[in-house]
Amino acid sequence: MADTPITLRLTLADPVSGVRYSLQKDDAPFEPVTATEAPLSFDVPIRLSDDGRFLGAFVRREGPARRFVYIRIGQSAGDCFSPWSRRAKIDIHDIPIDLLAFARAGRVLEIVLPGRGKDGSPTCATVRSTTGWRAV
Protein backbone atom coordinates (compact mmCIF):
# COMPACT_ATOMS: atom_id res chain seq x y z
CA MET A 1 0.00 0.00 0.00
CA ALA A 2 1.00 3.63 -0.48
CA ASP A 3 1.32 6.36 2.12
CA THR A 4 -1.98 8.03 2.99
CA PRO A 5 -2.16 11.83 2.72
CA ILE A 6 -3.78 13.34 5.83
CA THR A 7 -4.34 16.87 7.12
CA LEU A 8 -3.56 18.16 10.59
CA ARG A 9 -5.06 21.51 11.61
CA LEU A 10 -3.08 23.52 14.17
CA THR A 11 -5.21 26.33 15.63
CA LEU A 12 -3.80 29.07 17.84
CA ALA A 13 -6.76 30.16 19.98
CA ASP A 14 -5.41 33.60 20.83
CA PRO A 15 -2.45 34.62 18.68
CA VAL A 16 -0.78 37.98 19.28
CA SER A 17 -2.37 40.43 16.85
CA GLY A 18 0.05 41.98 14.35
CA VAL A 19 2.62 39.18 14.67
CA ARG A 20 3.58 37.11 11.62
CA TYR A 21 3.22 33.32 11.87
CA SER A 22 3.98 30.52 9.41
CA LEU A 23 4.50 26.81 9.22
CA GLN A 24 8.03 25.53 8.79
CA LYS A 25 8.46 23.56 5.57
CA ASP A 26 11.85 21.90 5.35
CA ASP A 27 13.92 24.67 7.01
CA ALA A 28 12.07 27.77 5.76
CA PRO A 29 8.89 29.73 6.50
CA PHE A 30 5.86 28.58 4.49
CA GLU A 31 3.01 30.93 3.56
CA PRO A 32 3.38 33.46 6.42
CA VAL A 33 0.30 35.29 7.69
CA THR A 34 -0.14 38.18 10.09
CA ALA A 35 -2.40 37.42 13.04
CA THR A 36 -5.50 39.40 13.95
CA GLU A 37 -7.62 39.04 17.09
CA ALA A 38 -9.24 35.89 15.62
CA PRO A 39 -7.97 32.33 16.08
CA LEU A 40 -5.33 31.39 13.51
CA SER A 41 -5.32 27.96 11.84
CA PHE A 42 -2.74 26.16 9.72
CA ASP A 43 -3.65 23.08 7.71
CA VAL A 44 -0.62 20.82 7.51
CA PRO A 45 -0.53 18.23 4.72
CA ILE A 46 1.48 15.18 5.73
CA ARG A 47 1.68 11.53 4.78
CA LEU A 48 0.95 8.63 7.10
CA SER A 49 2.80 5.45 6.23
CA ASP A 50 1.23 2.01 6.49
CA ASP A 51 3.29 1.39 9.63
CA GLY A 52 2.17 4.68 11.27
CA ARG A 53 5.16 6.92 10.52
CA PHE A 54 4.55 10.62 9.85
CA LEU A 55 6.28 11.78 6.67
CA GLY A 56 6.66 14.94 4.61
CA ALA A 57 8.36 18.32 4.38
CA PHE A 58 6.55 19.71 7.45
CA VAL A 59 7.42 16.83 9.78
CA ARG A 60 10.45 17.27 12.04
CA ARG A 61 12.02 14.49 14.07
CA GLU A 62 13.86 14.15 17.33
CA GLY A 63 15.19 10.77 18.32
CA PRO A 64 13.65 7.51 17.16
CA ALA A 65 10.00 8.29 18.02
CA ARG A 66 9.29 11.99 18.54
CA ARG A 67 7.69 13.72 15.55
CA PHE A 68 6.45 17.30 15.51
CA VAL A 69 5.57 20.32 13.38
CA TYR A 70 6.95 23.84 13.89
CA ILE A 71 5.02 27.10 13.74
CA ARG A 72 7.46 29.95 13.11
CA ILE A 73 6.83 33.28 14.82
CA GLY A 74 8.00 36.84 14.16
CA GLN A 75 11.48 37.03 12.65
CA SER A 76 11.47 33.25 12.17
CA ALA A 77 8.34 33.70 9.99
CA GLY A 78 10.07 36.35 7.86
CA ASP A 79 9.20 39.59 9.71
CA CYS A 80 12.60 41.25 10.20
CA PHE A 81 11.02 44.04 12.30
CA SER A 82 9.40 41.76 14.88
CA PRO A 83 10.78 41.81 18.43
CA TRP A 84 10.31 38.00 18.52
CA SER A 85 12.16 35.21 16.78
CA ARG A 86 10.50 32.03 17.98
CA ARG A 87 9.15 28.66 17.03
CA ALA A 88 6.34 26.67 18.60
CA LYS A 89 6.82 22.89 18.58
CA ILE A 90 3.63 20.85 18.25
CA ASP A 91 3.99 17.12 18.92
CA ILE A 92 2.21 14.78 16.52
CA HIS A 93 3.72 11.41 17.51
CA ASP A 94 1.21 11.11 20.35
CA ILE A 95 -1.97 11.41 18.25
CA PRO A 96 -4.22 8.52 19.36
CA ILE A 97 -4.38 5.61 16.92
CA ASP A 98 -8.19 5.71 16.76
CA LEU A 99 -7.99 9.30 15.49
CA LEU A 100 -5.44 8.32 12.86
CA ALA A 101 -8.06 5.94 11.46
CA PHE A 102 -10.41 8.92 11.00
CA ALA A 103 -7.60 10.83 9.27
CA ARG A 104 -6.96 7.91 6.90
CA ALA A 105 -10.68 8.06 6.04
CA GLY A 106 -10.37 11.74 5.04
CA ARG A 107 -11.21 13.59 8.26
CA VAL A 108 -9.05 16.51 9.40
CA LEU A 109 -7.43 16.17 12.83
CA GLU A 110 -7.39 19.43 14.78
CA ILE A 111 -5.67 20.59 17.93
CA VAL A 112 -6.35 23.95 19.58
CA LEU A 113 -3.31 25.54 21.20
CA PRO A 114 -2.72 28.61 23.34
CA GLY A 115 -1.25 31.43 21.26
CA ARG A 116 0.20 33.38 24.19
CA GLY A 117 2.54 32.63 27.01
CA LYS A 118 1.94 33.71 30.61
CA ASP A 119 3.57 37.07 29.85
CA GLY A 120 1.24 37.73 26.89
CA SER A 121 3.93 37.28 24.24
CA PRO A 122 3.66 34.62 21.51
CA THR A 123 3.87 31.10 22.88
CA CYS A 124 7.00 29.14 22.02
CA ALA A 125 8.97 25.97 22.71
CA THR A 126 6.83 22.83 23.14
CA VAL A 127 3.20 23.97 23.17
CA ARG A 128 0.57 21.72 24.72
CA SER A 129 -3.18 21.75 24.21
CA THR A 130 -5.59 21.48 27.11
CA THR A 131 -8.14 19.61 24.98
CA GLY A 132 -6.04 17.34 22.75
CA TRP A 133 -6.61 16.21 19.18
CA ARG A 134 -10.08 15.72 17.66
CA ALA A 135 -11.48 14.71 14.28
CA VAL A 136 -13.43 17.46 12.52
Side-chain angles (χ1 to χ4, degrees):
M1 291 181 88
D3 299 337
T4 304
I6 68 170
T7 301
L8 304 178
R9 180 170 296 146
L10 313 177
T11 298
L12 296 173
D14 58 344
V16 177
S17 182
V19 174
R20 187 175 296 171
Y21 294 82
S22 74
L23 291 174
Q24 178 171 310
K25 184 176 183 182
D26 296 318
D27 286 324
F30 178 77
E31 298 182 353
V33 295
T34 301
T36 64
E37 298 292 327
L40 179 61
S41 293
F42 295 97
D43 282 0
V44 186
I46 65 170
R47 297 183 329 275
L48 186 58
S49 72
D50 291 338
D51 62 359
R53 289 177 293 127
F54 297 98
L55 307 168
F58 295 98
V59 178
R60 316 304 324 145
R61 52 192 277 159
E62 188 175 280
R66 188 176 190 189
R67 300 295 178 267
F68 55 93
V69 174
Y70 275 128
I71 296 176
R72 289 173 161 252
I73 303 161
Q75 292 178 26
S76 293
D79 181 359
C80 61
F81 298 108
S82 176
W84 297 291
S85 182
R86 299 179 173 180
R87 291 187 300 183
K89 182 186 282 190
I90 293 76
D91 286 322
I92 62 174
H93 63 273
D94 55 359
I95 297 173
I97 291 177
D98 60 330
L99 287 180
L100 292 177
F102 285 116
R104 286 184 191 276
R107 303 267 303 268
V108 173
L109 300 185
E110 181 181 45
I111 192 165
V112 178
L113 305 154
R116 299 170 188 251
K118 291 178 183 175
D119 64 356
S121 69
T123 191
C124 62
T126 299
V127 180
R128 306 252 186 243
S129 171
T130 58
T131 59
W133 290 93
R134 66 185 183 115
V136 294

